[in-house]
Amino acid sequence: MGDAIIKFPTRQPKKSRFGRNNIVGYLFISPWLIAFILFGLIPMVVSFGLAFTNYHILRGWDFIGLDNFHRMFYEDRRYWNSVRATVKYVIIAVPLRLVFALAVAMLLNTKRRGVAFYRAAFYAPSVVGGSIAVAVMWREIFAREGLVNYLIGQFGQESIWWLGHPDYAIWTLILLAAWQFGSPMLIFLAGLKQIPGQLYESASIDGANGIQKFFRITFPLLTPVVFFNLVMQLIAGFMTFTQAFIITNGSGRPLDTTLFYALYLYKRGFETYEMGYASAMAWVMLVVVALLTAIVFATSARWVYYESQEGK
Amino acid sequence: MMNTENHSAQTIPYRESSQPRVPWLQRKWMRTILYHGFVALTAIAMIYPILWLFGSSLKGSDEIWTNQAALIPDDIKFDNYSNGWKGFGSITFTTFYKNSFIYAGVGTLLTVSASAVVAYGFARVKFTGRQFWFGVMLLTLMLPIQVQIIPQYIMFNKLDWINTFYPLLLPRLGGQAFFIFMIVQFIRGIPNELDEAALIDGCGKIGIFFRIILPQLKPAIITAAIFSFYWTWEDFLTPLLYLNSPDLYTVSLALRTYSDPSGQTDWGAIFAMSSLSLVPVFVIFVVFQRYLVEGIATTGLKG
């Protein structure tokens, strides 16, 4: 077949095809579009409305203006406990996770034998990370008579009630999150593979040491990937629910130190059925997550390096 | 970093002649041993808790306390599995596994097939508003589900669908934004020539999807299916909201009830049932590791 024949028909029937393309296009995306409107858009609009009511699933609703927000910010101490717990968790767990992910990715960015096996081992905790089984396991590991206390008992130390102590309980959850650095690790690894080896070779000739190479070459070239991981992990961190729900048995104990925002929202919405209040909480969460993402995006121009900038 | 330092020691030739004896720490075999020693130890530490869980599930009721840290029991027993399988309230884990396989199986099938269809529409059909809707779809990736679940619950409650699988499966008919995005990226990498050739032969957009694109989507579909299965298998919040009667519990829900600290004290059985629930996940992980790694690396899917 000649070239002319291949190029011919795509251009020609443009006018008649335009209308048809619209029909076919919307036909193909209709499953998503319909589901989005029914299960995404309408619930969001309703949720926004509910935020200004005292809706209770059995008692119905009254419009109460900004009362939910007033209660949240000025009266509800547990609300602030949950904010404090979540912020502490995100601020510590997300950077830890990313540092581990980058460190291990750099270790595994080599052509040595056995790397595929190591990669699988480091990723394994993340594969099962969201499961109830692992959360249950974690609870048993840090239980009063659990593995950790058994191990420190071998060294003659007195056992600690990890999950019952207000200073320690949240650290078990932070550790659980830090342990699951597999996904950002694989994304970092893919990013590291993109960095041309010649850069390191010429840096070596110039006498650069490992630390200089990291801060002058590896990290700057990796900033787009760091940025992406940071945004995704921040969002995921704020929405952490299952692990806290299982490990504290849905209580947020001790003293609300593990009462994550999503957990408190669940308790208000589905335990006491204060769904208006819970909706207001959800919208505050949405605004905060959106603001944070916007801040990360806005500051990204200062520290994220994109290759296309070179030409400017 | 490791291998580049390695490089520098070797590629500068004068060093070898002027300093014939390389310090022992910089010798190649020494570095190899140090590397493998360090990485292997760290890797073992990483998977130790999981191995410990499996090991403990095989310990007898005494050994679970007396030999708590060991990975391999002195005396391997399967009692925990038979005890655990009995479940609670006269409902065995057979029921819970059946429910989980329905949810994860049907759910994955719906999610992935819908995602492929929608992805084709976004990737290959030039319709008005395409970029707008694609942008909206990407935005939903960042949306906390908390702004949707309450009205969704009210709606499904009004429809009297609590304690059915409809609230779990129906929303999946629209696919999932992550997978749609991933498959769109994949389709964009498929050359257009085949589409055009099929167009000449009188094939419509729908025909092109089924005859040309779909057969080539296999890797993307496998990756999407794996992740969809994982997330559904491990999903906890949705079943927690909608499945209240124990005979509808998925494995995740059942494990939570079964391991409730205020009731159950048979740790061996809890470990056994927890281990068992991870088996499907690990089998898929081992068989399809390549797809998983590529899927995360190329699209940034969370694991």
Side-chain angles (χ1 to χ4, degrees):
Chain A
M1 269 200 270
D3 290 333
I5 304 172
I6 290 177
K7 279 174 188 159
F8 169 61
T10 51
R11 298 262 178 235
Q12 225 225 1
K14 210 175 181 180
K15 266 184 191 167
S16 64
R17 200 156 281 281
F18 182 76
R20 272 204 62 189
N21 266 351
N22 275 346
I23 296 170
V24 174
Y26 278 98
L27 195 72
F28 268 103
I29 70 158
S30 62
W32 171 77
L33 196 56
I34 294 168
F36 168 68
I37 291 169
L38 280 183
F39 304 116
L41 192 62
I42 293 175
M44 261 184 86
V45 174
V46 174
S47 166
F48 188 74
L50 284 179
F52 302 96
T53 70
N54 59 0
Y55 184 88
H56 183 286
I57 200 152
L58 300 174
R59 281 185 235 131
W61 62 278
D62 284 310
F63 180 77
I64 55 165
L66 294 171
D67 281 7
N68 282 329
F69 298 95
H70 187 270
R71 175 180 162 199
M72 216 182 291
F73 296 142
Y74 296 106
E75 290 158 20
D76 189 351
R77 283 186 58 195
R78 293 199 82 189
Y79 177 81
W80 287 107
N81 290 342
S82 79
V83 170
R84 221 170 292 132
T86 314
V87 168
K88 186 176 177 184
Y89 174 76
V90 170
I91 283 183
I92 302 172
V94 170
L96 265 185
R97 199 183 242 201
L98 293 184
V99 167
F100 284 145
L102 182 54
V104 173
M106 287 175 65
L107 267 181
L108 297 185
N109 185 29
T110 160
K111 289 197 175 71
R112 288 173 201 270
R113 235 178 282 165
V115 166
F117 173 77
Y118 294 138
R119 192 182 57 195
F122 283 108
Y123 184 64
S126 307
V127 163
V128 294
S131 68
I132 300 302
V134 162
V136 167
M137 173 192 87
W138 213 252
R139 192 177 66 200
E140 309 298 290
I141 285 178
F142 287 97
R144 273 186 176 182
E145 295 166 315
L147 179 64
V148 172
N149 278 340
Y150 174 84
L151 286 175
I152 63 175
Q154 301 288 305
F155 294 99
Q157 298 289 317
E158 264 186 52
S159 61
I160 298 167
W161 189 20
W162 300 100
L163 300 174
H165 196 295
D167 290 339
Y168 299 140
I170 196 172
W171 287 96
T172 65
L173 287 162
I174 289 170
L175 196 63
L176 178 59
W179 182 53
Q180 293 159 13
F181 57 73
S183 298
M185 174 194 81
L186 291 180
I187 299 168
F188 278 135
L189 202 51
L192 286 171
K193 292 218 156 69
Q194 302 283 316
I195 300 176
Q198 298 105 297
L199 287 178
Y200 293 109
E201 279 164 32
S202 43
S204 297
I205 292 168
D206 293 344
N209 61 29
I211 295 166
Q212 285 170 324
K213 279 185 222 164
F214 175 77
F215 283 108
R216 300 281 168 83
I217 301 172
T218 314
F219 194 77
L221 286 175
L222 218 53
T223 43
V225 186
V226 175
F227 169 69
F228 174 82
N229 275 334
L230 186 65
V231 171
M232 298 313 284
Q233 297 297 329
L234 274 179
I235 295 173
F238 274 104
M239 294 200 280
T240 305
F241 170 78
T242 308
Q243 289 85 350
F245 186 88
I246 293 298
I247 287 173
T248 72
N249 205 24
S251 66
R253 278 191 299 255
L255 298 176
D256 289 347
T257 50
T258 60
L259 185 71
F260 290 159
Y261 201 96
L263 179 57
Y264 188 49
L265 194 152
Y266 170 84
K267 289 168 85 71
R268 285 296 178 197
F270 297 99
E271 281 179 9
T272 53
Y273 291 111
E274 295 164 271
M275 291 183 160
Y277 189 56
S279 297
M281 282 184 68
W283 275 89
V284 173
M285 183 186 199
L286 175 71
V287 169
V288 169
V289 168
L291 273 178
L292 257 174
T293 313
I295 290 171
V296 178
F297 266 95
T299 59
S300 69
R302 292 166 186 245
W303 59 277
V304 176
Y305 172 90
Y306 290 107
E307 221 147 331
S308 55
Q309 287 171 340
E310 264 180 322
K312 283 182 190 170
Chain B
M1 227 167 70
M2 278 262 174
N3 59 347
T4 47
E5 278 170 38
N6 207 358
H7 244 245
S8 65
Q10 290 165 356
T11 46
I12 303 174
Y14 69 84
R15 223 187 224 181
E16 301 231 340
S17 50
S18 63
Q19 285 182 311
R21 281 185 65 87
V22 185
W24 65 275
L25 249 175
Q26 283 176 25
R27 282 183 207 161
K28 200 178 176 190
W29 62 268
M30 197 61 217
R31 287 174 159 277
T32 307
I33 290 177
L34 277 178
Y35 176 83
H36 283 289
F38 178 70
V39 177
L41 274 180
T42 326
I44 290 169
M46 282 290 290
I47 52 173
Y48 172 77
I50 300 169
L51 298 177
W52 172 81
L53 175 72
F54 277 92
S56 298
S57 74
L58 297 169
K59 291 174 189 168
S61 50
D62 295 329
E63 203 186 340
I64 216 162
W65 302 108
T66 54
N67 195 13
Q68 208 172 347
L71 293 183
I72 301 162
D74 294 334
D75 188 13
I76 292 181
K77 286 191 172 138
F78 290 94
D79 298 4
N80 292 326
Y81 285 87
S82 49
N83 288 339
W85 193 266
K86 287 175 195 150
F88 50 85
S90 77
I91 301 162
T92 66
F93 267 83
T94 315
T95 310
F96 306 139
Y97 273 90
K98 196 191 75 196
N99 294 334
S100 262
F101 276 112
I102 291 175
Y103 180 32
V106 179
T108 299
L109 190 74
L110 294 179
T111 306
V112 175
S113 31
S115 298
V117 170
V118 174
Y120 174 75
F122 277 128
R124 278 291 204 262
V125 189
K126 290 192 172 63
F127 58 90
T128 326
R130 175 169 76 147
Q131 275 172 337
F132 171 76
W133 289 118
F134 194 65
V136 169
M137 193 200 69
L138 289 184
L139 269 183
T140 63
L141 281 176
M142 298 193 174
L143 208 64
I145 52 156
Q146 277 78 5
V147 293
Q148 296 166 348
I149 51 175
I150 290 165
Q152 279 177 5
Y153 183 87
I154 297 169
M155 180 172 78
F156 289 130
N157 188 41
K158 287 250 155 69
L159 289 166
D160 214 7
W161 280 355
I162 308 294
N163 271 327
T164 68
F165 278 92
Y166 295 125
L168 285 75
L169 294 176
L170 221 57
R172 287 164 183 272
L173 283 170
Q176 226 227 336
F178 261 122
F179 304 135
I180 297 173
F181 173 66
M182 188 189 84
I183 300 172
V184 164
Q185 298 291 84
F186 191 89
I187 295 177
R188 280 178 183 161
I190 298 175
N192 238 326
E193 279 83 30
L194 277 175
D195 292 35
E196 286 169 6
L199 205 64
I200 299 163
D201 293 344
C203 211
K205 288 281 181 196
I206 298 168
I208 292 175
F209 172 68
F210 282 105
R211 292 186 197 170
I212 312 283
I213 300 293
L214 200 58
Q216 297 184 71
L217 280 184
K218 201 181 132 203
I221 284 182
I222 292 177
T223 309
I226 295 167
F227 278 102
S228 177
F229 183 85
Y230 277 178
W231 294 345
T232 320
W233 186 260
E234 295 181 350
D235 184 21
F236 179 67
L237 184 60
T238 330
L240 178 71
L241 291 178
Y242 295 111
L243 304 176
N244 303 325
S245 115
D247 58 331
L248 292 173
Y249 275 11
T250 60
V251 173
S252 291
L253 273 185
L255 265 181
R256 181 244 173 171
T257 309
Y258 189 64
S259 67
D260 188 343
S262 56
Q264 177 66 269
T265 49
D266 187 353
W267 281 25
I270 295 172
F271 290 149
M273 289 304 102
S274 299
S275 305
L276 209 57
S277 80
L278 298 178
V279 168
V281 175
F282 277 118
V283 168
I284 292 174
F285 179 52
V286 171
V287 176
F288 293 105
Q289 214 216 104
R290 189 167 59 90
Y291 290 98
L292 265 165
V293 170
E294 276 166 23
I296 297 166
T298 53
T299 61
L301 282 167
K302 59 177 176 176

